[in-house]
């Protein structure tokens, strides 16, 4: 089992940047593929990005491609989401998640077994 804690959210103006971090504890971090999801008020949780166990494969939702970058540091048990050129529509609670199929970068929410509590990102226009 793994525990996940997100940080780095906040309030930023449109066009600005934030870097989210997700620190993992428990079972060996490199045993998991990791993903970032987000949920805006009144909307369903949606996929943002994913990364396999080694960091060699990544996947992005079309809405963030070219603006967001996912990465991981297995020595620090941490996954990151660098968010640039932020837009008001990026406003949401951002969650990191882990899946035990460590090679997978699939976007399916049901494939992720462990979730953090979330961190709020608000982008003002």
């Amino acid at each position: 089992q793994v525990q996940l804690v997100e940080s780095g959210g906040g309030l930023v103006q449109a066009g600005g940047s934030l870097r989210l971090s997700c620190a993992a504890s428990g079972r060996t971090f490199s045993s998991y593929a990791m993903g970032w999801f987000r949920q805006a008020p009144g909307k369903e949780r949606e996929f943002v990005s994913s990364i396999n166990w080694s960091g060699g494969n990544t996947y992005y939702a079309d809405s963030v491609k070219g603006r967001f970058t996912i990465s991981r540091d297995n020595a620090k048990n941490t996954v990151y989401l660098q968010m640039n050129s932020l837009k008001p529509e990026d406003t949401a609670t951002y969650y990191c998640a882990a899946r035990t199929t460590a090679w997978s970068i699939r976007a399916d929410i049901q494939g992720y077994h462990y979730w953090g509590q979330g961190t709020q990102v608000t982008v003002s226009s």
Side-chain angles (χ1 to χ4, degrees):
Q1 194 164 348
V2 63
Q3 293 77 44
L4 304 172
V5 179
E6 302 95 337
S7 62
L11 173 64
V12 64
Q13 288 188 332
S17 299
L18 283 174
R19 188 175 82 155
L20 305 183
S21 299
C22 174
S25 61
R27 191 180 161 191
T28 306
F29 182 61
S30 59
S31 299
Y32 300 93
M34 301 297 296
W36 285 97
F37 294 78
R38 66 187 182 187
Q39 188 167 19
K43 295 188 177 181
E44 292 187 351
R45 192 169 298 189
E46 65 174 5
F47 170 79
V48 175
S49 183
S50 58
I51 189 167
N52 75 334
W53 69 275
S54 68
N57 286 319
T58 59
Y59 184 49
Y60 297 92
D62 287 344
S63 59
V64 306
K65 199 173 296 181
R67 300 189 297 122
F68 291 10
T69 303
I70 191 171
S71 61
R72 66 189 295 162
D73 185 336
N74 286 343
K76 295 183 178 180
N77 292 348
T78 302
V79 62
Y80 305 97
L81 186 68
Q82 178 66 45
M83 306 186 296
N84 298 329
S85 302
L86 282 161
K87 305 175 181 180
E89 51 264 44
D90 294 318
T91 295
T93 301
Y94 283 71
Y95 299 89
C96 73
R99 65 187 302 155
T100 56
T101 45
W103 60 90
S104 175
I105 55 172
R106 291 183 62 179
D108 57 314
I109 288 179
Q110 62 270 26
Y112 289 82
H113 307 100
Y114 304 102
W115 292 82
Q117 297 285 75
T119 185
Q120 177 67 36
V121 171
T122 303
V123 184
S124 62
S125 57

